Amino acid sequence: MTPVGPAASAGPDGKEAGGMRAALGGLTTRGRSFLAAGVAAAVCAYVLGQSDLLRVGLLLAALPLICVTVLYRTRYRVAASRRLSPGRVPAGSEARVHLRMDNVSRMPTGLLMLQDHVPYVLGPRPRFVLDRVEAGGRREVSYRVRSDLRGRYPLGPLQLRLNDPFGMCELTRSFSAFDTLTVIPRTESLPAVRLAGEASGYGDGRQRSLALAGDDDIIPRAYRYGDDLRRVHWRSTARYGELMVRREEQPQRARCTVLLDTRRLAYQGAGPDSAFEWAVSGAASALTHLLERGFAVRLLTDTGSSVPGEGAEGFASSQESAESAGLMMDTLAVVDHSDGAGLSRAYDVLRGGGEGLLVAFFGDLDDEQAELAARMRQRSGSAVAFAMDSGTWLTGGAVKGALDDRLRQLREAGWTALAVMPGTRLADLWQQAARERPGETSTAGTNSWGGWS
């Protein structure tokens, strides 16, 4: 926040009079009582002809007016700043907000009362009382905020209340700066397993490709100190007139697309325990886990939007994995239901085949969307689907929908498809997906929905 004067500045255009009227509006109950008592005493003194009572009435009426004038004319300046620690926090975790007040004027302040505006979902509105701040001095206070709902929440503006020593008047001034707290979805720690059907090289997060296809296709490079002499390519050395070696194998990051179905028609219910929130949290957990394993990852929704959307076909590059992870988490923090009725735009993004691993979180699928989702398997190296029936989630598992047919259809297309029941942990399903083979039904130990019994 930039320094802001707590008292309005006087000007030749009539703003001073307007500011004084606003200051008179800041009279407290005590100040108004003194003013009313003084006026009443003066009127009685005039009627009764009592000069002593008139002096008392004038004193009672003048005291709150003097306090208003002195407080309004106060010209010290206060600067405020706000710092979030951290600025991005998972749902259900706490963040701390640090406030700092600096007196940048040459005179000390009186009693200051601070109030920061925060959304009610983050907790009660914090209020602080600061004692006299010397010239050039500072005060620091802090408070905690917590939200069980993901989203982006504004913090501010910070309000400063000034009181006179007698409590006759109270003026409120607001700073103009805001800060934003980002509450990202909860994430689970997933086991480091190779998912069923995962192509060779993808499980370790990297694959290696040689820069040559045969002896005639060698792409040599100049010899560097420390290179193994066994890799010297003598034919290229004779051709270029300097020592040349075979180029090393080039590591390539394996790719993974995390598909999140956000269609409004695919989910019922709302709140932190709804099916949609589970899907958002699951997508965040999968993205975090795969980035840690070295995958080049992108987030794709049914609307066809891809995050981070830069680099090779929208995948996060290895140099920007931390920045890209933050961008994807910020996107999931505010993602909401889409008005689309189908997955066709997401299907169009998955073009060309060989996209690597595809991890999808589906809501309700009708016949048409289930068929479209099944065809997505042809455009990926391997695919794992976590499917939900929102009606089952809405009833807490008391009523089961017709999800078996959808799972069977996905498995026949080559998906490793698992159903998600209310209260199921993604870590358990992730480990189960590693044990199953594409196209097979759920193994023993699970119910007919593919979840844990």
Side-chain angles (χ1 to χ4, degrees):
M1 298 181 181
T2 55
V4 178
S9 300
D13 54 356
K15 291 184 178 179
E16 181 176 2
M20 182 58 71
R21 285 194 297 268
L24 289 173
L27 283 172
T28 62
T29 302
R30 179 184 299 177
R32 295 176 187 274
S33 299
F34 268 69
L35 183 60
V39 172
V43 172
C44 292
Y46 176 78
V47 173
L48 299 176
Q50 297 291 329
S51 58
D52 293 338
L53 182 60
L54 179 61
R55 286 192 288 270
V56 172
L58 292 178
L59 178 62
L60 291 176
L63 182 58
L65 296 179
I66 293 174
C67 292
V68 168
T69 303
V70 172
L71 191 62
Y72 175 73
R73 292 293 182 180
T74 301
R75 292 300 177 184
Y76 58 82
R77 296 173 63 85
V78 176
S81 62
R82 183 189 295 105
R83 179 172 57 88
L84 304 180
S85 177
R88 183 187 293 119
V89 61
S93 300
E94 290 184 345
R96 183 167 289 275
V97 183
H98 301 268
L99 300 176
R100 171 176 163 178
M101 301 295 299
D102 292 273
N103 183 12
V104 296
S105 64
R106 297 181 179 180
M107 59 183 300
T109 71
L111 190 67
L112 301 178
M113 293 197 308
L114 300 180
Q115 176 177 277
D116 206 7
H117 282 243
V118 301
Y120 289 107
V121 69
L122 296 182
R125 184 168 295 178
R127 295 180 176 88
F128 304 94
V129 177
L130 301 182
D131 294 332
R132 177 179 178 272
V133 182
E134 65 279 5
R138 71 177 59 168
R139 298 290 186 272
E140 294 185 3
V141 293
S142 64
Y143 63 93
R144 294 177 296 180
V145 291
R146 179 181 183 274
S147 174
D148 292 328
L149 300 175
R150 58 184 176 82
R152 302 190 68 183
Y153 301 100
L155 301 178
L158 181 65
Q159 284 188 340
L160 178 65
R161 293 185 179 180
L162 306 177
N163 286 344
D164 67 279
F166 299 101
M168 298 289 181
C169 183
E170 178 180 277
L171 297 182
T172 301
R173 296 292 182 262
S174 296
F175 293 88
S176 57
F178 289 81
D179 287 280
T180 302
L181 175 68
T182 302
V183 180
I184 62 176
R186 294 185 179 94
T187 57
E188 293 184 41
S189 179
L190 303 181
V193 295
R194 176 175 295 181
L195 298 179
E198 197 171 319
S200 176
Y202 290 105
D204 298 328
R206 291 183 181 271
Q207 59 181 355
R208 307 189 69 86
S209 64
L210 291 174
L212 54 94
D215 191 61
D216 295 334
D217 297 325
I218 291 177
I219 304 178
R221 62 170 176 81
Y223 174 83
R224 299 172 186 168
Y225 179 78
D227 284 339
D228 190 349
L229 293 178
R230 289 175 295 181
R231 293 195 297 109
V232 173
H233 190 254
W234 298 109
R235 183 181 298 179
S236 298
T237 299
R239 178 180 178 182
Y240 292 101
E242 60 177 322
L243 201 60
M244 307 292 290
V245 297
R246 294 181 176 87
R247 188 179 297 272
E248 296 176 345
E249 294 178 338
Q250 302 298 314
Q252 295 180 349
R253 300 192 78 187
R255 292 181 174 183
C256 176
T257 298
V258 176
L259 173 61
L260 176 62
D261 182 9
T262 64
R263 295 172 298 128
R264 190 180 302 276
L265 297 175
Y267 299 94
Q268 300 179 37
D273 296 328
S274 63
F276 180 67
E277 291 301 323
W278 192 99
V280 173
S281 178
S285 301
L287 288 170
T288 303
H289 174 74
L290 293 168
L291 279 172
E292 291 175 351
R293 291 191 59 194
F295 280 79
V297 181
R298 67 176 173 181
L299 171 66
L300 178 65
T301 66
D302 58 290
T303 61
S305 59
S306 178
V307 182
E310 298 178 356
E313 301 182 20
F315 289 88
S317 63
S318 57
Q319 293 80 9
E320 301 175 349
S321 58
E323 180 181 353
S324 300
L327 179 59
M328 287 185 283
M329 290 298 106
D330 289 344
T331 301
L332 290 176
V334 297
V335 69
D336 201 357
H337 292 291
S338 68
D339 295 328
L343 303 169
S344 57
R345 282 180 286 184
Y347 177 78
D348 293 336
V349 175
L350 297 172
R351 62 188 177 202
E355 296 286 346
L357 178 63
L358 173 61
V359 179
F361 295 85
F362 291 123
D364 293 337
L365 298 173
D366 55 23
D367 293 338
E368 180 181 357
Q369 300 310 313
E371 181 180 355
L372 188 60
R375 293 205 305 268
M376 289 182 181
R377 174 62 182 86
Q378 303 172 1
R379 300 193 171 188
S380 63
S382 56
V384 180
F386 300 96
M388 284 169 282
D389 179 81
S390 59
T392 304
W393 277 75
L394 197 61
T395 60
V399 178
K400 296 183 179 180
L403 189 58
D404 289 340
D405 293 339
R406 306 295 179 230
L407 295 176
R408 188 179 303 108
Q409 187 174 358
L410 293 176
R411 289 165 182 157
E412 289 175 353
W415 285 81
T416 300
L418 300 174
V420 182
M421 293 291 288
T424 307
R425 296 176 61 250
L426 179 61
D428 296 335
L429 293 177
W430 195 267
Q431 197 162 16
Q432 181 182 345
R435 297 195 303 264
E436 294 190 2
R437 294 182 180 179
E440 289 186 356
T441 58
S442 299
T443 57
T446 62
N447 56 28
S448 61
W449 284 63
W452 290 93
S453 300

